[in-house]
Amino acid sequence: MARKITYQQAINEALDQEMSRDPSVIVMGEDNAGGEGSPGEMDAWGGVLGVTKGLYHKHPGRVLDTPISESAFIGAAIGAACNGLRPVAELMFVDFMGVCFDQIFNQAAKFRYMFGGKAETPVVIRTMYGAGFRAAAQHSQCLYSLFTHVPGLKVVVPSNPYDAKGLLIESIRDNDPVIFFENKVLYTMEGEVPEEIYTVPFGEAAILREGDDVTIVALGRMVNMAQEAAEALQKDGIHCEIIDPRTTSPLDEETILESVEKTGRLVVVDEANPRCSMASDIAGLVVRKAFGALKAPIEQVTAPHVPPPFSDVLEDLYVPNAAKIERAVTRVAEYR
Amino acid sequence: MNTELNRESLLKAYRMMRTIREFEERVHTDFATGEIPGFVHLYAGEEASATGVCMHLSGNDYIASTHRGHGHCIAKGVDPAGMMAEIWGKETGTCKGKGGSMHIADLSKGMLGANGIVGGGGPLICGTALAAKLRGDKTVGVCFFGDGASNQGTILEAMNLATVWNLPAIFVAENNGYAETTSPNYSVACENIADRAAAFGMPGVIVDGFDFFAVYEAAGEAVKRAREGGGPTLIEVKVSRYYGHFEGDQQKYRAEGEVQKLRNEKDCLMQFRRHVTADGDISAAELDAIDAEVLAMIDDSVVRAKADPKPGPEELLTDVYVSY
Amino acid sequence: MSGIHTLTMPKWGLSMSEGRVNAWLKGLGDPITRGEEIVEVESEKIAGALEAPASGVLRRRLAAEEDLLPVGALLGIIADADVADTEIDAVVAEFLANYVPPSEEEEGGGSVPGKIEVGGLRIRYLKLGAGGEPLILVHGFGGDLNNWLFNHATLAVKREVYALDLPGHGESTKDVADGSLDNLTDVVIGCMDALGIPAAHLIGHSMGGAVCLNVAKRSPQRVHSLVLIASAGLGAEINGDYITGFVAATNRRALKPLLSELFSDPGQVTRQLIDDMLKYKRLDGVAESLDRLAGKLFANGSQQMILAEVPEVFGKPVLVIWGKEDRIIPARHAPKAGGKVRVEILEGQGHMVQMEAANDVNRLMESFLG
């Protein structure tokens, strides 16, 4: 039985191991250690939820706490990446992208192309996303589709501890700007994670369950809900194939299309809002490239087109869940 | 010092500060039981700042607040019972339970919202001030922000714009010593946040945030100047918070006994009480009576908040747009 | 009630905690002969049929097809036709009243792999069983100690059995030095030293067979007997395309057809098997290790170390097992073992014969080891 650690520990271990292996890797963000200039303990937090805890003392001088100046430090991480470092900057909540987006989408994303292929920007921007903490409209969004829209960015959305570690190491070693999305609800999820260093490549979806009846493509936290739904559906004789793209840019189109060619039925599960989303993107892909295979209309299980609400009853209605996925799969499976 | 504050105003100020304190202490206690959802950031310790500023404002003036917004809301006249219900996620809340602690707002009271984005309020207050200026209605806008937000581009850009357009805006930097865990000793490049005012062509003043009268006086001058077309002011309020960045914060970055010492030696309510009862105009008994009334009011707001219904499922899909 | 036999969810391999009932092969009331396949069960790792523990009649089918059940859960009842229904119901009721599904701790309990230092390398091993003459299991190229998942516990009933991860494999250090057979051999002998094993029975699969042959050649006094399964080292031929492809493969699409070469039943190449292999291949240092081993041992699609003379010189008992349809190393290498060697060729089986035909291979090994 392999070692089990949490999603959060897996991310910490990936940072620790890559910092140990490669002196050009640095970490920066708001309170990534915590306590700078304050009278109490240093490394008081290790990030707002403790993900980077311990790195400050293990790697002296290479964990930089920043002022609350996202535009400045995210931009600085990008600049440092242009000059030989491999910074991992933390944008605490992805909702804060608004105060630094220019540096990401106009600067980092475009250097390579604008400069005629002569630039490399090996920066990683780690960021938390997702509902479930009753953290309301400005701390709960799933904005990966906005970043996926921008050419030049790679976008990673790990759904489990194993992938979180391997994809983060891959992100750090990758020579393009990578936006690494961490679901805050998944931080406590446990899973088998090798102690050794390993990578998980970009653009290769994981097939988490094989089945012939309905393809479910799910992202991030939704992958677990899809698995729960698929287990229940199997008792009704509906066999689902679950695909976790793992990265939305690049997107493993082939695995999705191959599966739909087999099943002819697709449900896309995405915690984000439905318009111009990964759900609509994947649905569009399948309509364009596997139209002939489709035996039923594609269903999307997403949050509604509203901001994340605060009250627990509303937030629970807002986020997709296994029951909603089951209903969508059943509709798709029964469509004739 | 407090010549313009009559007896009635003093009692009003005391009640305002006491209401904020009692509200926050109660949320602190209730949060620990696990019944209150989400992220909650408490203002306890900083009451003199919101009160000293908002005592100069009317319902037509605007304020923009922060994630630590309960005190600003109460000082600007937002109903504490509605706020409590909001924090508990109930349909009777100020925002129908849709916003929560970090997004309490009441536009009818000139309260433009607590804010989940650090530095989010600065540009907005330039906007309310611009509208006031263009209408010529002599109202002002106040942006409350923290030492953390003082490093945010939005705040710096807003201060520049306010001077460029000579806006009736007041920037109140509530420097409570910690941006989450990080001290301004580390994160703010100059000695004082107020020093930055010079770069934006506006007056910058520093006041003791535990001293209601100091805040009141500085804010009075700034509001007067703004109303008279004299442009923006930056006020740095040096203060501290009694609780963590958010509820649940273990505060290992703070010194041992730091908060207790502040409570014992500098507390704004304690100072205020000592000050106003010293000359005999206001008795301790009167203040005690206010304490009791406030306590009863907060108790009542919690009882109601707990009993009130949660929003109905139909509320999920409404209020995204004015028209669909 | 001695004529009533319970049929329970089997535990195939150490990591299996639950299995899915794929299909009943026998109907209610069907006569059953001991050893007959009764129900198809699938774990994450492997699919197979459960054999009847006794003859009789299938009197109860308590698990439905598609059910996902923990190890040890009651699937059905076999009993003679004349056993009363009330008696059977009593057995079922008693079973259900007493059955406790294995907890997560128990699953790993007592069988946690250890690590030892050998020549500056960390080597993972798993020891099962106690007493008797020690036995060591050595996996093949790209494998690990889990290749013995279906054999290890059975062999360990009578003796202590160690399964190793060779360097560059499993969770051992990803450093194969010059990639030579002598280097791997040094490590196996080093493990015996570190574990305090003066001499052992050696069982090797594929490349691991060549390692075992080399141990027997260099230190015959430390080897009681040899079991060589689909072994390398007995002839020159090897599926060079497989070796090259396996070293190069970095994703599911490339790996799946290659792994299918290993099994007679392509259905054994499950999603889990491919994922586990990819997880291994993505560890830092694995690509270099495999490349180096392949370059040294299987250069130009040909085995570079032929030790066919060893069994005869060794002079102690040797068992050679091969799947007749092996597409990696041809079964015709088996007779070349020569000497006083027992050779068993299993019809219809492929390279991973110890996994796919575990029951048969286990029986052969047990009768050989005595």
Side-chain angles (χ1 to χ4, degrees), chain C residues 205-280:
Chain C
H205 174 245
S206 196
M207 179 185 79
V211 175
C212 293
L213 280 167
N214 205 30
V215 176
K217 177 184 176 188
R218 284 175 35 184
S219 307
Q221 74 285 2
R222 303 196 67 171
V223 183
H224 297 310
S225 74
L226 281 177
V227 178
L228 306 171
I229 304 172
S231 184
L234 296 172
E237 294 101 318
I238 188 162
N239 184 339
D241 290 345
Y242 170 81
I243 299 289
T244 314
F246 180 79
V247 171
T250 56
N251 59 41
R252 189 186 323 113
R253 219 160 268 117
L255 204 51
K256 188 170 182 177
L258 291 162
L259 295 181
S260 300
E261 295 281 296
L262 296 173
F263 294 89
S264 62
D265 170 15
Q268 294 294 358
V269 184
T270 60
R271 182 191 61 78
Q272 188 69 42
L273 181 83
I274 299 168
D275 279 358
D276 287 350
M277 187 57 82
L278 281 173
K279 284 180 177 178
Y280 159 67

Side-chain angles (χ1 to χ4, degrees), chain B residues 7 42 47 95 107 138 153 161 165 191 197 211 214-215 218 234 245 265 322:
Chain B
R7 191 184 141 75
L42 299 181
E47 294 86 350
C95 307
L107 279 296
K138 301 289 181 194
L161 184 66
W165 284 349
E191 182 75 26
D211 180 353
V215 177
L234 170 59
H245 168 65
E265 296 173 10
V322 175

Side-chain angles (χ1 to χ4, degrees), chain C residues 47-352:
Chain C
L50 187 59
E51 296 174 355
S55 298
V57 172
L58 186 56
R59 299 287 299 271
R60 294 284 185 281
R61 290 197 340 191
L62 295 150
E65 292 181 0
E66 306 279 8
D67 276 0
L68 187 62
L69 298 169
V71 164
L74 190 57
L75 305 179
I77 298 283
I78 296 168
D80 289 340
D82 55 6
V83 175
D85 277 334
T86 50
E87 262 187 83
I88 290 175
D89 290 340
V91 168
V92 171
E94 191 191 340
F95 186 98
L96 296 177
N98 295 325
Y99 173 66
V100 182
S103 70
E104 201 158 312
E105 291 74 48
E106 283 174 58
E107 283 165 34
S111 56
V112 181
K115 298 243 169 93
I116 42 169
E117 286 278 327
V118 176
L121 306 176
R122 260 158 59 97
I123 299 296
R124 182 176 72 151
Y125 70 98
L126 177 63
K127 180 192 176 190
L128 296 182
E133 285 179 335
L135 191 160
I136 299 173
L137 300 165
V138 186
H139 63 77
F141 181 72
D144 65 17
L145 55 79
N146 289 315
N147 289 167
W148 306 105
L149 216 51
F150 308 108
N151 321 104
H152 199 161
T154 306
L155 294 168
V157 170
K158 288 193 187 166
R159 57 190 76 78
E160 57 186 61
V161 180
Y162 300 82
L164 308 178
D165 282 345
L166 290 171
H169 291 80
E171 290 183 22
S172 292
T173 307
K174 305 303 178 297
D175 175 359
V176 296
D178 62 355
S180 67
L181 194 64
D182 276 334
N183 173 61
L184 297 178
T185 306
D186 289 342
V187 172
V188 171
I189 294 170
C191 284
M192 293 175 74
D193 295 340
L195 293 165
I197 303 170
H201 300 279
L202 298 186
I203 301 183
H205 174 245
S206 196
M207 179 185 79
V211 175
C212 293
L213 280 167
N214 205 30
V215 176
K217 177 184 176 188
R218 284 175 35 184
S219 307
Q221 74 285 2
R222 303 196 67 171
V223 183
H224 297 310
S225 74
L226 281 177
V227 178
L228 306 171
I229 304 172
S231 184
L234 296 172
E237 294 101 318
I238 188 162
N239 184 339
D241 290 345
Y242 170 81
I243 299 289
T244 314
F246 180 79
V247 171
T250 56
N251 59 41
R252 189 186 323 113
R253 219 160 268 117
L255 204 51
K256 188 170 182 177
L258 291 162
L259 295 181
S260 300
E261 295 281 296
L262 296 173
F263 294 89
S264 62
D265 170 15
Q268 294 294 358
V269 184
T270 60
R271 182 191 61 78
Q272 188 69 42
L273 181 83
I274 299 168
D275 279 358
D276 287 350
M277 187 57 82
L278 281 173
K279 284 180 177 178
Y280 159 67
K281 292 210 68 189
R282 286 166 180 167
L283 294 169
D284 267 15
V286 166
E288 295 78 2
S289 294
L290 292 177
D291 194 49
R292 190 162 291 185
L293 286 172
K296 198 82 177 181
L297 302 178
F298 313 121
N300 309 314
S302 174
Q303 295 192 46
Q304 303 296 310
M305 287 287 291
I306 315 289
L307 301 163
E309 77 292 351
V310 171
E312 189 156 10
V313 177
F314 175 56
K316 297 185 212 176
V318 177
L319 171 64
V320 177
I321 299 173
W322 229 290
K324 194 170 185 191
E325 310 304 325
D326 193 325
R327 297 197 292 275
I328 306 301
I329 302 176
R332 66 175 174 277
H333 285 193
K336 293 186 185 173
K340 48 181 270 192
V341 174
R342 183 170 147 200
V343 175
E344 299 282 353
I345 307 288
L346 300 183
E347 292 291 330
Q349 292 298 328
H351 192 61
M352 301 304 286

Side-chain angles (χ1 to χ4, degrees), chain B residues 234-252:
Chain B
L234 170 59
I235 302 171
E236 179 178 1
V237 179
K238 304 253 194 201
V239 69
S240 193
R241 54 168 148 86
Y242 287 170
Y243 293 113
H245 168 65
F246 49 59
E247 285 309 277
D249 176 5
Q250 299 303 305
Q251 303 188 74
K252 291 180 179 168

Side-chain angles (χ1 to χ4, degrees), chain B residues 17-312:
Chain B
M17 289 198 290
R18 175 57 70 189
T19 304
I20 297 170
R21 174 67 54 86
E22 212 58 66
F23 189 95
E24 297 297 62
E25 295 286 9
R26 188 58 191 265
V27 172
H28 174 76
T29 306
D30 288 347
F31 190 90
T33 68
E35 291 174 277
I36 293 177
F39 295 139
V40 173
H41 311 79
L42 299 181
Y43 193 70
E46 307 185 38
E47 294 86 350
S49 175
T51 305
V53 173
C54 290
M55 284 290 288
H56 295 287
L57 304 181
S58 76
N60 296 326
D61 297 310
Y62 272 91
I63 66 165
S65 175
T66 70
H67 54 281
R68 201 173 304 289
H70 302 166
H72 305 132
C73 290
I74 291 170
K76 197 65 177 62
V78 181
D79 171 33
M83 291 172 58
M84 193 62 86
E86 185 65 30
I87 289 167
W88 283 77
K90 299 305 177 75
E91 72 170 10
T92 48
T94 318
C95 307
K96 302 188 202 167
K98 293 184 176 184
S101 165
M102 259 192 294
H103 307 298
I104 298 174
D106 187 346
L107 279 296
S108 73
K109 297 285 199 297
M111 167 59 199
L112 197 48
N115 207 313
I117 305 300
V118 172
L124 300 176
I125 277 305
C126 286
T128 68
L130 175 65
K133 180 181 171 181
L134 295 180
R135 271 199 302 270
D137 64 11
K138 301 289 181 194
T139 62
V140 301
V142 177
C143 170
F144 289 98
F145 62 101
D147 45 294
S150 78
N151 298 315
Q152 192 63 289
T154 49
I155 292 293
L156 304 173
E157 292 176 32
M159 286 199 280
N160 186 62
L161 184 66
T163 299
V164 167
W165 284 349
N166 194 39
L167 296 174
I170 298 100
F171 295 88
V172 180
E174 294 180 321
N175 180 353
N176 67 16
Y178 302 97
E180 299 194 327
T181 74
T182 301
S183 166
N185 297 333
Y186 171 81
S187 68
V188 176
C190 46
E191 182 75 26
N192 303 293
I193 295 167
D195 298 346
R196 290 175 173 168
F200 298 113
M202 66 176 78
V205 293
I206 298 170
V207 295
D208 174 2
F210 290 102
D211 180 353
F212 164 81
F213 298 102
V215 177
Y216 182 83
E217 186 177 292
E221 272 182 42
V223 171
K224 183 162 178 285
R225 178 162 50 249
R227 289 199 202 284
E228 290 171 353
T233 305
L234 170 59
I235 302 171
E236 179 178 1
V237 179
K238 304 253 194 201
V239 69
S240 193
R241 54 168 148 86
Y242 287 170
Y243 293 113
H245 168 65
F246 49 59
E247 285 309 277
D249 176 5
Q250 299 303 305
Q251 303 188 74
K252 291 180 179 168
Y253 48 88
R254 300 189 83 158
E256 191 93 9
E258 179 186 323
V259 172
Q260 197 52 51
K261 191 169 156 63
L262 291 169
R263 280 189 188 260
N264 293 344
E265 296 173 10
K266 299 211 63 171
D267 184 73
C268 61
L269 280 152
M270 182 190 74
Q271 289 196 57
F272 186 96
R273 176 181 277 257
R274 191 187 297 145
H275 187 108
V276 299
T277 54
D279 50 16
D281 196 23
I282 290 173
S283 70
E286 280 178 282
L287 299 182
D288 291 345
I290 290 175
D291 290 352
E293 283 171 34
V294 167
L295 184 59
M297 186 266 285
I298 297 293
D299 276 347
D300 182 54
S301 74
V302 173
V303 170
R304 281 157 56 193
K306 284 186 178 183
D308 282 346
K310 299 230 167 127

